[in-house]
Amino acid sequence: MASILRQIVAGPRSRHPETGLDLCYVTDNIIATSGPSSTYPKRAYRNPTDVLVKFLDEKHGTNWSIWEFRAEGTGYPDSEVYDRIRHYPWPDHHPPPFALIPNMMASMRDWLKAPDAPKERVVVVHCKAGKGRSGTVACSYLISEEGWTKDEALSRFTLRRMRSGFGEGVSIPSQLRWIGYVDRWSKHSKIYVEREIEVLEVHVWGLREGVKVGVNGYVDEGRTIKSFHTFKRKERILVDSISQTNGSFASLPASTQENMLPVPEIAPKPHPETPATTTESSPKRSASPAVSHTGSESGGSAVIFRPSSRIILPSNDIDIDFERRNKAGYGWTMVTSVAHVWFNAFFEGRGPENHGDAVTSGVFEIEWDAMDGIRGSARKGTRALDRLAVVWRALVDDDGLRRGSTRVIMEPQAGETVPETHAADWKGAHQDIRLALGKNLGLRTASPASANISKASSVASISSSKMEDDPALGVRSHGPNGEEHISHAVDDLGRPTVTISKPTFQDARNPQTGTQVMQSSQQIGQDDETIGDSGLSPTSGNIDSLKKFSAEDLSDK
């Protein structure tokens, strides 16, 4: 039964026929695996921890060690892997806090390249599916410590981890942006300077009605994503339609420009390897921004969001989050769009190229189609906006109100102690990571506070594709030389010598993983934060499609 469940969860992924383990050798020394589990029901469809340990013992003796990245908890105690594990957790579907990168790279380097280290040593990286977070770290190591190019590392990980035709190994835009940051960091002395960052304004072109705009950042060593601000209606400045069409700061009316903060003076042109961002010394932008036809609605407004109180994040890592809601009637709210984007102000300020002396202010710009989608997928729902620009500055000087803090982070040298972050609770208890797990489309209960905020136009129904939402789709397993089958000890009858205990099978689904079509108003947040609601009839055919079981626990980036 356990084997059948693993096949169901794996879908089109190629699983090892003897052990049933979901893992691959990215190189001879780097193994990527989905997260093992020691508890039911998860061990019925995940890699059982004892089976994975037995395999590693047989193949590598004592020459293996685990690096895990799960803010949601590993699923097993450290003792079950002989305490041979390093913890650098951060939330699913997101890039790592960049301050973790130097220590992760140094600890992996020291394990593999210590003077007394045998050549047979391997690092085992895992997140949940062994794809997004694991791929980000594996590619970062190959780039920064082995001298691979970014394209070589990404191609290798895709080749070894994914079945042909099922997409890229690392596919989330923000994670790809971070790998580009690592490439630049490794080419320029591996200097990183952590700074406090203030978000001054958020400029949005083509903003539709009913969109909630938030600013998030990492806390708790990166284990948690905190919402630092959600814009209210009173914090927006609506710009005329001419500026929306032209899509540039310079085209704004004179009265609006007088109220705007000055566009920061920054580097004359962006780094060629960060195409999703724009940092210019003048407010010029392209005359007509590209608009795709992913949504069912055209138009929208040009809006400047200026916070009524200062938004100060503790690090360079900034996340801008969008969620579009429409009133469905009868106390329901329909979420029709979900998207967000991460960027790092140190790299957008060309810190590596300036020997760590990054510019202190800038503008990050990105198109809607280049943003991260729902739980790591490309799907975002209906279009919520066309383009985004974030005006930021680093708090490195005394501005009369407070002085920002800075911290220089270098990669530890060989022989130096490498810091490690605290592990999340391995059982996943006491973890408030609702933001980190990502949002989804669907029905929620509406808060009475939003009833009279504003009206938005109706949107067409959203159809969800289970195949498109599975971030582990197409992941495969194979050996260090690319072979599809990993040899494992078997008995005289050809059966694996590993015993997999059978689960007490009542329902293969974790009862906590079903889609919740109703949530409390506290879960939704302050509805004063939503820019508008619209009247979407609950009989429009959306409800039935949203009641399907969503195996959130069975997929991951």
Side-chain angles (χ1 to χ4, degrees):
M1 180 61 71
S3 177
I4 295 175
L5 286 176
R6 293 193 191 98
Q7 293 178 23
I8 293 173
V9 172
R13 287 181 289 169
S14 176
R15 302 192 64 83
H16 184 251
E18 288 134 0
T19 65
L21 290 176
D22 175 20
L23 63 83
C24 79
Y25 284 77
V26 182
T27 67
D28 291 345
N29 303 107
I30 301 177
I31 298 174
T33 178
S34 59
S37 180
S38 297
T39 60
Y40 288 99
K42 292 182 180 179
R43 64 173 284 126
Y45 52 81
R46 294 283 182 194
N47 284 341
T49 308
D50 56 340
V51 179
L52 176 64
V53 169
K54 186 176 181 65
F55 169 81
L56 293 172
D57 285 344
E58 290 179 354
K59 297 292 290 185
H60 301 285
T62 61
N63 294 314
W64 60 269
S65 186
I66 291 176
W67 273 253
E68 70 86 13
F69 318 116
R70 300 191 64 181
E72 64 272 25
T74 60
Y76 57 90
D78 290 0
S79 59
E80 292 194 4
V81 294
Y82 316 125
D83 293 312
R84 206 181 296 153
I85 184 170
R86 274 81 164 178
H87 300 281
Y88 296 97
W90 78 87
D92 200 2
H93 313 304
H94 299 275
F98 200 88
L100 295 183
I101 293 290
N103 294 332
M104 285 192 290
M105 299 300 100
S107 60
M108 293 171 67
R109 176 207 65 207
D110 288 353
W111 171 254
L112 292 176
K113 297 184 177 183
D116 58 345
K119 294 181 179 180
E120 295 78 17
R121 274 192 176 179
V122 295
V123 297
V124 183
V125 295
H126 84 73
C127 46
K128 189 174 181 181
K131 184 176 177 292
R133 287 175 287 183
S134 298
T136 299
V137 174
C139 290
S140 295
Y141 181 82
L142 293 176
I143 293 168
S144 65
E145 308 302 326
E146 299 294 340
W148 292 36
T149 67
K150 180 179 66 173
D151 290 341
E152 287 172 344
L154 288 169
S155 296
R156 168 57 73 91
F157 187 79
T158 296
L159 177 66
R160 289 297 179 91
R161 192 63 176 132
M162 304 300 295
R163 294 179 59 188
S164 178
F166 284 94
E168 304 298 320
V170 181
S171 58
I172 296 177
S174 290
Q175 291 179 341
L176 290 170
R177 185 175 301 110
W178 250 243
I179 293 175
Y181 290 161
V182 170
D183 186 40
R184 293 166 56 193
W185 170 75
S186 62
K187 291 176 179 176
H188 296 91
S189 304
K190 296 183 178 178
I191 299 174
Y192 179 66
V193 181
E194 192 71 281
R195 308 174 298 176
E196 291 182 295
I197 301 296
E198 181 175 7
V199 174
L200 302 174
E201 291 179 347
V202 175
H203 299 231
V204 184
W205 286 266
L207 182 69
R208 277 55 169 182
E209 292 283 356
V211 179
K212 186 172 73 171
V213 183
V215 180
N216 310 314
Y218 283 120
V219 294
D220 300 331
E221 299 181 301
R223 291 189 301 275
T224 305
I225 297 174
K226 176 182 176 181
S227 175
F228 283 87
H229 189 80
T230 303
F231 288 100
K232 312 293 192 302
R233 294 182 64 240
K234 64 182 180 181
E235 296 174 307
R236 68 176 183 175
I237 302 172
L238 186 63
V239 184
D240 65 8
S241 58
I242 297 177
S243 302
Q244 162 64 14
T245 303
N246 292 340
S248 68
F249 290 112
S251 63
L252 299 179
S255 59
T256 301
Q257 292 192 49
E258 290 176 359
N259 291 326
M260 288 176 56
L261 294 170
V263 176
E265 292 189 8
I266 45 186
K269 63 181 182 179
H271 192 276
E273 297 174 0
T274 55
T277 64
T278 300
T279 52
E280 302 178 355
S281 57
S282 69
K284 294 181 180 179
R285 296 293 186 272
S286 59
S288 59
V291 176
S292 75
H293 301 283
T294 57
S296 59
E297 175 187 8
S298 61
S301 303
V303 175
I304 299 171
F305 290 98
R306 182 180 301 157
S308 56
S309 58
R310 301 180 74 181
I311 307 174
I312 299 176
L313 286 81
S315 72
N316 290 301
D317 306 306
I318 303 170
D319 177 53
I320 307 297
D321 177 77
F322 296 90
E323 181 181 271
R324 187 178 186 185
R325 303 177 183 184
N326 297 276
K327 185 177 179 182
Y330 303 99
W332 294 89
T333 293
M334 177 71 74
V335 177
T336 59
S337 298
V338 173
H340 72 102
V341 59
W342 282 94
F343 69 94
N344 183 286
F346 176 77
F347 289 91
E348 299 306 319
R350 297 184 62 79
E353 293 76 13
N354 293 324
H355 308 288
D357 186 18
V359 297
T360 57
S361 58
V363 178
F364 173 84
E365 185 172 346
I366 190 169
E367 305 282 342
W368 166 260
D369 291 333
M371 297 178 68
D372 299 1
I374 300 166
R375 292 196 175 105
S377 72
R379 197 166 61 91
K380 307 179 189 70
T382 57
R383 178 176 289 273
L385 56 100
D386 294 333
R387 187 152 57 93
L388 163 72
V390 182
V391 183
W392 59 267
R393 70 175 175 184
L395 298 182
V396 295
D397 298 315
D398 192 343
D399 61 3
L401 297 177
R402 59 171 295 172
R403 182 177 181 84
S405 62
T406 60
R407 180 165 55 103
V408 178
I409 301 175
M410 302 290 292
E411 183 183 46
Q413 298 298 310
E416 295 181 352
T417 301
V418 180
E420 180 182 345
T421 58
H422 293 87
D425 185 284
W426 71 269
K427 296 180 180 179
H430 310 298
Q431 298 294 314
D432 182 14
I433 53 174
R434 181 173 58 90
L435 261 177
L437 291 177
K439 304 173 183 178
N440 208 341
L441 307 179
L443 288 172
R444 302 180 187 176
T445 54
S447 169
S450 66
N452 299 316
I453 292 178
S454 64
K455 296 292 182 180
S457 55
S458 298
V459 294
S461 62
I462 306 297
S463 62
S464 62
S465 169
K466 185 61 189 171
M467 296 287 286
E468 187 177 356
D469 271 349
D470 184 2
L473 202 62
V475 176
R476 66 175 184 170
S477 310
H478 54 70
N481 297 317
E483 68 273 18
E484 290 292 337
H485 304 309
I486 306 173
S487 60
H488 190 76
V490 295
D491 60 20
D492 294 337
L493 298 178
R495 297 172 300 189
T497 57
V498 176
T499 302
I500 303 176
S501 54
K502 296 182 179 180
T504 303
F505 185 77
Q506 295 178 345
D507 187 344
R509 303 174 303 178
N510 187 330
Q512 297 180 352
T513 61
T515 300
Q516 298 182 7
V517 298
M518 291 189 295
Q519 298 181 8
S520 68
S521 59
Q522 291 180 343
Q523 288 176 303
I524 295 177
Q526 300 290 335
D527 278 278
D528 181 37
E529 300 161 354
T530 304
I531 304 305
D533 289 332
S534 72
L536 177 65
S537 170
T539 62
S540 59
N542 293 288
I543 297 178
D544 290 340
S545 65
L546 293 166
K547 288 182 178 179
K548 295 179 180 178
F549 174 77
S550 174
E552 173 186 330
D553 190 55
L554 309 186
S555 65
D556 151 86
K557 268 292 181 186

